[in-house]
Amino acid sequence: MTAVTQETASVRTIALELPDWPGHRAGQHLDVRLTADDGYRAERSYSIAAAPGEGPAITVERLDDGEVSPYLTQELRSGDQLEVRGPIGGYFVWDSGANESVPLLLVAGGSGIVPLRSILRHRVRTASKVPVRLLYSAKALDEVIYRTELDQQGEGVQVCYTLTRRQPPGWTGYARRVDDALLGQVAWSAISQPLAFVCGPTPFVETVAAGLVWLGYPAAQVKTERFGGAGREGDSVRPGEAGGR
Ligand SMILES: Cc1cc2nc3c(=O)[nH]c(=O)nc-3n(C[C@H](O)[C@H](O)[C@H](O)COP(=O)(O)OP(=O)(O)OC[C@H]3O[C@@H](n4cnc5c(N)ncnc54)[C@H](O)[C@@H]3O)c2cc1C
């Protein structure tokens, strides 16, 4: 681990120095394994926050009652060693240039923004002109991860926030949980045959994915990544996809 950036009060980006890193695609993740002195091991998945071509980095949100995220966000120091396996995943990925005429809809809940940031950066680095709409649901403005970067997106990218718990004075953006009506206002019309990437806590992802299908998006055009919290986890982690390291 080489450098740490504090993104919000509970979120950190950790740059990883992996000399044998084979490169990654936008949207992939990696697995981090921690081993305690007594041999106890815990392994968790983290999306790769960097674009293809950039050095790998992860962005971790601290869950106060969690096992791994408090260590990564509070105790890990520059120079510490981590055991990492990856890159992993071939489903929740976006390759620039595949089809420039397909607009992208990105929908994030909380730290679900991480793989979507990789996609946004990949778009910029490859000078893609694919039109993008990002809908990002966070509890409050100070919990929006990468806010400065998201606010500086250039032509062709529309960013909408919805703040579900606290809104600053004068807030004119959305202020409720994502539901079918909100998706109907923000999402591309299904007629334009967009490709959607939805990422965040499991219940959030399931609500949004169902809403998009209700709006007429073919299910195959709605790619989902579940971070957990309730229900099933990470349906993009498919047997046999893991790259060994
Ligand atoms: C493919 C994939 C990519 C992921 N990418 C990221 C990422 O980029 N950044 C990131 O911060 N996390 C990411 N996660 C979640 C991450 O793997 C861990 O689950 C998370 O850090 C919690 O681990 P923990 O050991 O601290 O908590 P645990 O000890 O595993 O869990 C503590 C408690 O929190 C609940 N919980 C677990 N995960 C969540 C969650 N996401 N939201 C709310 N409650 C939860 C559990 O049900 C439990 O009650 C990803 C998960 C997957 C499957």
Side-chain angles (χ1 to χ4, degrees):
M1 193 268 285
T2 51
V4 164
T5 308
Q6 197 71 36
E7 304 281 0
T8 72
S10 60
V11 177
R12 248 182 173 192
T13 293
I14 301 163
L16 302 168
E17 189 179 330
L18 299 169
D20 298 330
W21 185 249
H24 60 273
R25 295 163 73 191
Q28 286 187 303
H29 65 275
L30 51 75
D31 286 347
V32 172
R33 180 192 275 177
L34 303 180
T35 306
D37 292 340
D38 64 1
Y40 175 76
R41 285 175 164 175
E43 190 168 305
R44 297 289 184 274
S45 300
Y46 291 99
S47 298
I48 300 166
E54 296 178 324
I58 57 174
T59 300
V60 182
E61 177 179 22
R62 184 183 70 244
L63 301 182
D64 288 329
D65 62 341
E67 207 171 49
V68 171
S69 62
Y71 173 80
L72 294 176
T73 51
Q74 291 171 308
E75 291 175 44
L76 189 73
R77 298 280 170 265
S78 188
D80 285 355
Q81 301 285 315
L82 281 178
E83 211 178 324
V84 169
R85 190 170 61 100
I88 301 170
Y91 161 74
F92 194 85
V93 292
W94 181 72
D95 295 316
S96 171
N99 192 343
E100 286 276 312
S101 66
V102 176
L104 286 184
L105 175 70
L106 309 178
V107 188
S111 55
I113 190 65
V114 179
L116 309 186
R117 185 232 211 169
S118 175
I119 291 174
L120 287 168
R121 284 191 164 196
H122 183 43
R123 176 185 176 279
V124 170
R125 285 172 63 90
T126 56
S128 164
K129 297 280 180 270
V130 164
V132 179
R133 284 186 189 166
L134 168 68
L135 172 59
Y136 183 1
S137 175
K139 288 179 190 148
L141 201 54
D142 58 10
E143 297 198 22
V144 170
I145 308 169
Y146 317 132
R147 189 175 148 213
T148 307
E149 182 173 331
L150 295 177
D151 285 346
Q152 289 170 353
Q153 293 295 312
E155 205 181 322
V157 181
Q158 294 171 41
V159 178
C160 290
Y161 299 111
T162 183
L163 304 179
T164 57
R165 302 260 177 98
R166 279 180 286 120
Q167 303 82 30
W171 175 251
T172 55
Y174 295 104
R176 62 181 205 266
R177 290 162 76 94
V178 177
D179 54 20
D180 292 354
L182 202 158
L183 284 171
Q185 285 173 280
V186 175
W188 300 105
S189 159
I191 295 168
S192 57
Q193 302 193 312
L195 179 59
F197 288 85
V198 184
C199 186
T202 301
F204 172 87
V205 170
E206 289 179 355
T207 300
V208 173
L212 291 175
V213 170
W214 180 77
L215 285 175
Y217 283 52
Q221 291 287 99
V222 180
K223 294 183 182 270
T224 57
E225 185 95 287
R226 295 166 171 83
F227 277 6
R232 298 189 306 276
E233 290 219 351
D235 68 350
S236 73
V237 189
R238 290 177 172 163
E241 276 190 349
R245 261 178 59 84

